Amino acid sequence: MDAMEKPKYDGSLIGKRIPKMDAPEKASGKTRYIHDIDLPGQLHAKILRSSEVHARIVAIDTGAARALPGVHAVITAADVPWQRPIGVAKDHLPLKGDRVRSPRDEIAAVAAESEDIAAAAVKLIKVEYEPLPIVATAEDSLKPGAALLHGEDLIVTGPDGKREVVHKASHDNVAMTFNYGQGDIPNGEAESVVVVEDVFRLHYVTHCCMGVSGVIAEFDASENLLLYSNTQVPFLHKREFAELLGMDPGRIRIIQPPIGGGFGSKLDIYPFEPIAIYLAKITHRPVKLIFSREEEFMASPTRQPVLLKMRSGCRSDGRLTFRDVETVHDNGAYTSWGATTPFVMMQTISSLYRVPNCNYRTRAIYTNNPYAGSFRGYGNLQATFAVEAHMDKLAEAIGMDPLEFRLINAQDPGEVTPQGMHFKSCGFKDCLQTAASRSDYQAKFSAARGKWNDGNPVKRGVGMASMLHVGGGAKIYPSDGCGTIIKMDDFAHITLITGASEIGQGSETVLAQLACEELGLPLSAVTVVNNDTDVKPWDVGVHASRTTFIAGNSALGAARKAKAKILAAAASKFGRPAERLDLREGCVIDKATGEKLIEIGKLIRSLHFSDKAELVMTTFYYEPPSHKQDKEFRGDVSAAYAWATQVVEIEVDTETGIVKLLKVIGAHDVGRVLNRLGIEGQIEGGVVMGQGYALTEDLIVENGVIRNPNFRDYKLVTAPEIPEIDVSFIETMDGEGPQGAKGVGEAPAICVAAAVANAIYNATGVRITALPFTPENVYRALHSNSQPPTWIAAA
Amino acid sequence: MSPQPATTGRPAVAPEEGVAAIETYAAPRSLAEAVALLRTGEATILAGGTDLMPQSKTGRARFQRMLMNVRHVPELRGIRGTQDCVRFGALTTITELLDSALVKNRFNALWQAADHFASEQLRNAATIGGNICNASPAGDTLVPLLVFDARVELTSEVNGAAARRTLPLAEFFVGPGRTQRRATELLTAVEVPLPPDGFFSEFYKFGTRPALDISAIAIGFGAVRDGQRLRQVRVAFGAVAPTPIRAAKTEAALASQPLPAAIEPALAAAAADIHPISDIRASAWYRRELVRNVLRRMLNNVTQN
């Protein structure tokens, strides 16, 4: 033993700056992403997409493609008559046989010996189309006589020949609606001294994951399906793939290689995945399908573009009286999670601030555009953009300081909102005050207003925005739980097998910290296993900023059970009551004296190798004490709620329209900091994503066609534009959170655009209600060369 | 880096039509060898490759049967100054421009353009000759080179011997991506006369971010200062016409009266010099506004300094 390296103990791991466990592999280029995996006998697949935006398919000729040497299979909808629809509304068949509704639409696919051969074969497929009218905007889609995107029932035929309607026809192009109300709007209006109304337009952006989408599908000789998949929700997808394929879900195994970015984009099944599976089934070979970057732009989901009309009022004392909101969401050609973002939007609209009377009506409208999925924030960026603009406008209208106005209406701990959310821990007012004081917000706000007419073309301004988001999971399924298995070996090395998935957010490290903290072990004593559905216990998946909270509590539960077992063994071995013992620095200690009784590994070995041989192996399933919402969208959907305020400082060049983000001062109620380095990185990354949404990113869609499917013309923020970021953590020590922590994943991206809009107004006196704030858009607004968005006439 | 029409996202060319169209690869070791290989005019010339490779992927550039890598031709390298002229070998990289004290001291606008050029990696590979032959209306070095009255040197093989011709850069560009270079010619160097004493120059590039962006407009300006009078005024614009242009009317307006009286007439003249279009980077209207506002700001700075 003496020759061996002894583990290092650094005391408590909570709140320390701990490098992510996967950082050395990623930084040294050793991480094996799905792109790096090649299976023996593997074929490469490519998809033929539509050359038309909206058309009937008259004929498909795959003869030349099939004849190309090296091609193993060419499939069209006709080859998979048993295919079933995917997506949230089941309105989307993976391979389109009779009609295309968007240029991303999949018509045929090839599996071949190489990517080059597959690409060449795709080019040999001939498709004859009969064009249909293009529905380019939600506004056009709602006009009387507009072409219907899904005007006929979608019927599939089972293997037994039975026909089944899987999606009902939509005769008005409406894909999904949500209506929520609390209080009484006319009463609220009657109490108001000021009412403001605006129409906001939120644009298309997409995730731009550095790792493009991909999948490898393989059937073994017994027809069990193995998928290497980048999914964020492996257990949900296992079930969904089983339904798609008519298989027993137990025969599907999903392995998640390290994922090169998710951000919500991998919450749904997209056509390329079933297509790769069909090809694997037909060829009896492993089939790998990896997107090109252009395909990633074209055929991965977007954030939901929204047109939002909002009226808000307040009393002379600053109290909000009502908020009346209607939105139209551009759903795109098919329905994915984007259509359900109103779940989150209505929380911000009804409950970020106390507003007694509130209406929220929303419709997702089919168009021939790219279809929207879920994206970090899940509708919250759009809702916050409108709500925070009105907080500033109302404050100005009654002559009140915007910080004071917000403090009057901000939620307090203990509040149960009309929507049923119970804010057991709530650091919102601390967030407001901390961000304001660290940024010197009030002084800078007043100073900037005094310079609107000083003749200097370059203006400075500050803007404030806050956010509310779920921070303790979100019970949108019957269970919002996560399982953990902890196995300790005879050297006290822990294998922490968690249901949770790692998508770069740093969950492995935080889960390891929580378990090690409980068991008195260093981080080097743990291996996290989290990527194989045949090994790991069930979990909902990565969404709703839930992993630290839910999987953290689960890991903690399993660790506590292991600890109890070890302490019980030590108690009997040393004849001291277990309550007197603890685990620290790899040893069992006596709490009162600090005396080290035995190394944990030695104790475990004595358990293993005794005549009553026993292993230290525990399981725990954590289910948060939250509730599914009822049909009126009421219910305490999360076990905890996260809060944040961000103040931005900007510079606007009124002669060019360039808006520079100079500094972001954030205060985040995160419950408790677990990994300080990790959470700083997550917040900085989120701020930069919010900056891109506000200032540079713009997926330009014209008549259904994406005009900038590349990083040259789709402008991500690059290193020189990243502002100074000052983050304060408000530690409210949530009673249900693991070690007091709440979720933080989505929060930092949510307020940036809203705060920048307020800062542009503070700098220039011009309120811009449409994103993005690219130089030309800002310049046009400043020089009255653009119209503010207007509400849809046909609506 | 150059503008190109928006695509629908589908690769326009399958690999077999791209690189696979190349039958022969040549890497000449001398200029004589290079121009001899060009005799038939059926070679695609590879220098830095930063435009050629992405363009061949999208189908904008088609490979000829021969790919000729000129990077090993020693005559194409080096920055050499004579008494009245500086000769930039066609293979001079953007990084070499940035690192050159001569460029920094005498050709400030060119140095600034190199500083704003794409990214570190692209600056290391991209060449001045490639930037010129790509003939993008938004090509970063082209605007300052026009300000400095650059001439291009073209070499071909005639009757078994190397034959040279030079022509002013302003005449070299014919349209977007099109130049006066014949298929049998190699652009071997750029010659730039040393500007007169007291000549100062500025370059401005407008993009939505400071790195890795293609100009929505670019302005190059140079003159000799004589009190509030400007002499030898040279103004060039990028991304506001089918080619980078010298702005003759603007120059005349600035030369005709002292600052600041010359500014407003110069802005009006600039509006007549440019012919911008609308594309995904900017509308024609916005380009006109930018040219006016930025040029005014540049001229105000000149007036005040």
Side-chain angles (χ1 to χ4, degrees), chain A residues 658-681:
Chain A
I658 292 178
V659 176
K660 273 191 198 154
L661 185 56
L662 304 173
K663 189 168 180 183
V664 177
I665 301 94
H668 283 252
D669 170 9
V670 299
R672 186 182 187 188
V673 174
L674 297 181
N675 179 358
R676 193 166 295 273
L677 191 62
I679 201 167
E680 283 173 3

Side-chain angles (χ1 to χ4, degrees), chain A residues 132-169:
Chain A
L132 294 168
I134 295 171
V135 181
T137 63
E139 178 159 18
D140 287 350
S141 183
L142 286 170
K143 282 180 184 155
L148 295 179
L149 269 290
H150 294 270
E152 290 146 31
D153 287 351
L154 177 57
I155 298 167
V156 298
T157 310
D160 52 0
K162 227 170 103 181
R163 287 158 61 82
E164 182 192 346
V165 177
V166 284
H167 182 252
K168 284 286 216 186

Side-chain angles (χ1 to χ4, degrees), chain A residues 178-199:
Chain A
F178 286 83
N179 289 300
Y180 169 78
Q182 67 193 32
D184 181 80
I185 296 285
N187 281 353
E189 277 204 71
E191 283 179 32
S192 308
V193 294
V194 171
V195 172
V196 293
E197 175 169 346
D198 285 285
V199 177

Side-chain angles (χ1 to χ4, degrees), chain A residues 338-355:
Chain A
T340 70
T341 51
F343 275 121
V344 173
M345 296 180 76
M346 72 174 71
Q347 291 172 7
T348 291
I349 286 161
S350 76
S351 305
L352 169 59
Y353 297 99
R354 283 192 302 271
V355 50

Side-chain angles (χ1 to χ4, degrees), chain A residues 229-283:
Chain A
S229 161
N230 284 336
T231 177
Q232 296 180 217
V233 286
F235 290 97
L236 300 182
H237 281 182
K238 196 169 135 145
R239 185 197 169 106
E240 220 175 312
F241 280 122
E243 282 173 10
L244 278 176
L245 300 163
M247 280 180 76
D248 167 11
R251 296 178 65 177
I252 299 177
R253 177 181 180 189
I254 296 180
I255 293 177
Q256 299 155 281
I259 295 169
F263 309 110
S265 66
K266 293 161 175 75
L267 271 189
D268 205 353
I269 286 176
Y270 303 103
F272 78 92
E273 293 162 306
I275 285 171
I277 297 170
Y278 304 156
L279 287 168
K281 202 175 171 71
I282 287 165
T283 60

Side-chain angles (χ1 to χ4, degrees), chain A residues 50 103 116 123 294 298 653 655-656 658 705-707 709 711-713 715-716 720-721 775-776 779-780 785, chain B residues 2 4 6-10 12 14-15 17 206 208-210 213-214 280-283 285-286 289-290 293 297:
Chain A
S50 175
D116 285 355
K123 283 194 72 81
E294 288 74 16
M298 277 185 70
D653 186 337
E655 290 179 347
T656 61
I658 292 178
V705 176
I706 296 172
R707 296 201 60 209
F711 283 132
R712 184 192 59 205
D713 297 326
K715 308 224 182 265
L716 286 177
E721 304 101 280
E776 180 162 354
Y779 186 86
R780 282 181 179 274
N785 198 284
Chain B
S2 66
Q4 47 178 259
T7 64
T8 57
R10 276 175 292 281
E17 290 172 27
F206 181 90
T208 53
R209 60 186 178 203
D213 211 349
I214 294 163
I280 60 169
R281 271 179 270 290
S283 68
W285 174 81
Y286 181 53
E289 294 284 303
L290 284 175
N293 293 348
R297 194 175 280 183

Side-chain angles (χ1 to χ4, degrees), chain A residues 468-517:
Chain A
L468 152 70
H469 205 74
V470 291
K475 198 159 283 179
I476 59 167
Y477 303 101
S479 162
D480 189 27
C482 175
T484 304
I485 301 167
I486 280 183
K487 165 182 95 74
M488 290 185 80
D489 74 6
D490 47 333
F491 300 104
H493 187 86
I494 311 171
T495 305
L496 175 72
I497 308 169
T498 174
S501 300
E502 172 70 39
I503 62 166
Q505 79 276 46
S507 66
E508 286 177 348
T509 313
V510 159
L511 299 179
Q513 272 179 269
L514 288 165
C516 289
E517 182 76 6

Side-chain angles (χ1 to χ4, degrees), chain B residues 226-243:
Chain B
D226 178 4
Q228 285 298 55
R229 203 92 214 182
L230 297 177
R231 307 201 186 281
Q232 308 214 39
V233 185
R234 299 178 204 160
V235 179
F237 294 121
V240 291
T243 69

